[in-house]
Amino acid sequence: MISKLLVANRGEIALRIIRACRELGIETVAVYSEADRDSLHVELADEAVCIGPNNSAKSYLNIENIISATVNSGAQAIHPGFGFLSENPKFAQVCKECGIIFIGPEPECISLMGNKANARKKMKEAGVPVIPGYDGLIRDDFEALKIAKKIGFPVIIKAAAGGGGRGIRVVKEEKDFLDNYNNARAEAKACFNDENIYLEKYINKPRHIEFQILGDNYGNVIHLGERDCSLQRKNQKILEEAPSTFINEKTREKMGEAAIKAAVTVNYKNAGTIEFLVDEKNNFYFMEMNTRIQVEHPVTEAVTGIDLIKEQIKIAQGNPLSFTQEEVEIKGHAIECRINAEDPAQGFKPCPGKITSVHIPGGYGVRMDTAIYSGYKVPPYYDSMIAKLIVHGRNREEAVSKMKSALFELIIEGIETNIDFQLKLLNSKDFIYGNYDTSFIEKKMVNN
Ligand code: ADP
Ligand code: ADP
Ligand code: MG
């Protein structure tokens, strides 16, 4: 049994994990960079250890310091949250070698799925439909162009080690391919220290629909339904909802089965997400697997009533899943809006700085996960997401009304945020009718 756990993250997800631990009677150890000295996660955890300077490479990504903090504090487990070390197989391996429980899947599994080209190959072999494309080794420019022509333009170039919506390029015409291909490789090397890229057919007007998976240490794998994350800007999610307004019952069932097959194929343990793209004809294709808790997990919690972080901890300490697939029931409708410290009027430029005052909305079916407070300084060193606003209603209409009301009530002063942009999105007719795909925001909401 875990009695003390180290949270290797910051911000709202660190608070989310600390709260789950407190409910389970588990003591917590926070880690923080110098920039985060006055953070709520430091305040709320039972103990806190400084692990380095502002730069995340030297703090939140510093494996050695995090492991030392774990050993010194006597914590038996580490929850990595999302981002940072959550999908780093080396970190999971070091934990294992040090006898620390890593709350997530086995290092081998993270490693396999972390290379998105290899993950595609594995899924194809298992009979899970993948986006048409090429995941083999590309020897030279000549071969790359040949493959792209065979796939057929437009194609999408992706970094095998990519994530967070970065390292993705769409190429519409043959003449632009080689420049993009070579730039993509250089960018992948610079961002992910891995120049491997792979190619996919660009799916026109797709929906991004993903399935939440839970697997225990005894081979039981279930899914908790889908989340529609099609509302994106620059391939990054902005608003997520569950269930999806787009897929029919038959597609939902087939996608759920495919998601379970994908997880079983890699002997998946703990919480994970299978991301699919769905085309206009309801054909679905595996895109990637995220081997960690996801930013948008609260919408699934809202519609299933299952606390995903507590489940992750219980699975990691060896408990079998406490429910079966048949017992999972999707109730009502949930929406999440990501609140970012950024200025939509200036191309969504990040806007760190001091928050002079905050008003957090409340009420029945309203949840706000955040680590901000009046007087808090949003540091410039990390992701610009500062809060997640989540609502749950009996149906989509009620959820949309609740979200509008909650966004209206939410006040963050001192810095620019995307709150008004989210309201605009909620008020757009196409959103209200559920009539959108991944290109919606860039085509209809942003003038660029
Ligand atoms: P989700 O799929 O949970 O919505 P995101 O793609 O928004 O996840 O990523 C969550 C966080 O993790 C973001 O802060 C993002 O920048 C970061 N992240 C995700 N993948 C990577 C990666 N490969 N390298 C660095 N950061 C990443
Ligand atoms: P990341 O690892 O950065 O999350 P993904 O492979 O999940 O990258 O892709 C991120 C987003 O990019 C998707 O949600 C989708 O909007 C877009 N995208 C990815 N692949 C394709 C494709 N083949 N066709 C059209 N859009 C795509
Ligand atoms: Mg993705």
Side-chain angles (χ1 to χ4, degrees), residues 31-286:
V31 293
Y32 62 97
S33 68
E34 283 165 11
D36 281 341
R37 202 169 283 283
D38 299 322
S39 289
L40 268 189
H41 75 286
V42 173
E43 209 56 47
L44 285 190
D46 296 302
E47 293 168 37
V49 184
C50 183
I51 46 162
N54 307 346
N55 181 349
S56 50
K58 294 187 173 149
S59 48
Y60 295 107
L61 294 171
N62 187 330
I63 296 181
E64 211 172 294
N65 287 4
I66 292 172
I67 296 289
S68 305
T70 312
V71 173
N72 290 340
S73 64
Q76 305 104 337
I78 297 181
H79 196 306
F82 52 70
F84 297 125
L85 293 170
S86 62
E87 293 181 281
N88 184 315
K90 187 175 147 212
F91 181 58
Q93 183 64 37
V94 173
C95 287
K96 200 172 186 177
E97 283 162 13
C98 296
I100 299 164
I101 299 172
F102 173 83
I103 310 228
E106 293 294 322
E108 296 76 23
C109 181
I110 302 178
S111 178
L112 173 68
M113 297 317 249
N115 181 311
K116 292 162 72 182
N118 289 344
R120 266 178 61 95
K121 228 182 286 174
K122 185 85 182 169
M123 289 306 124
K124 218 163 34 182
E125 284 163 16
V128 176
V130 303
I131 300 172
Y134 187 79
D135 36 50
L137 264 182
I138 303 172
R139 276 178 301 241
D140 52 36
D141 284 13
F142 177 74
E143 196 183 10
L145 184 62
K146 206 170 107 187
I147 294 163
K149 275 159 74 176
K150 195 168 161 214
I151 293 170
F153 289 93
V155 296
I156 189 161
I157 306 175
K158 294 187 181 178
R166 286 168 305 163
I168 294 176
R169 278 159 187 259
V170 181
V171 186
K172 294 204 175 91
E173 293 176 64
E174 186 183 330
K175 69 173 174 49
D176 300 326
F177 179 75
L178 279 180
D179 277 351
N180 272 293
Y181 172 74
N182 285 306
N183 289 340
R185 282 175 72 91
E187 212 173 84
K189 176 80 189 158
C191 292
F192 309 111
N193 196 27
D194 178 349
E195 64 178 4
N196 284 308
I197 59 108
Y198 65 107
L199 303 177
E200 278 176 359
K201 175 82 191 154
Y202 179 73
I203 308 284
N204 197 32
K205 298 188 169 178
R207 302 281 284 223
H208 171 124
I209 296 174
E210 57 184 35
F211 274 71
Q212 176 69 52
I213 291 290
L214 281 179
D216 65 15
N217 299 349
Y218 312 99
N220 304 306
V221 178
I222 59 159
H223 75 77
L224 302 183
E226 83 279 6
R227 297 182 285 256
D228 195 320
C229 312
S230 304
L231 289 167
Q232 305 180 350
R233 200 188 133 258
K234 295 205 159 160
N235 304 314
Q236 285 166 354
K237 300 160 187 166
I238 295 200
L239 180 155
E240 301 97 341
E241 62 178 318
S244 170
T245 58
F246 184 69
I247 49 173
N248 56 39
E249 217 28 68
K250 203 171 128 219
T251 306
R252 175 172 287 120
E253 205 171 295
K254 281 199 289 185
M255 288 178 78
E257 281 165 18
I260 287 182
K261 192 183 209 177
V264 168
T265 301
V266 294
N267 188 22
Y268 198 79
K269 290 173 189 155
N270 219 289
T273 298
I274 312 287
E275 295 190 336
F276 294 100
L277 284 186
V278 184
D279 71 14
E280 290 165 298
K281 294 182 188 134
N282 261 259
N283 296 310
F284 63 88
Y285 308 97
F286 169 87

Side-chain angles (χ1 to χ4, degrees), residues 82-83 161-164 166 237 275 290 292 294-296 338 383:
F82 52 70
R166 286 168 305 163
K237 300 160 187 166
E275 295 190 336
N290 291 321
R292 55 168 164 90
Q294 211 129 353
V295 173
E296 58 276 19
R338 297 191 187 200
D383 199 87

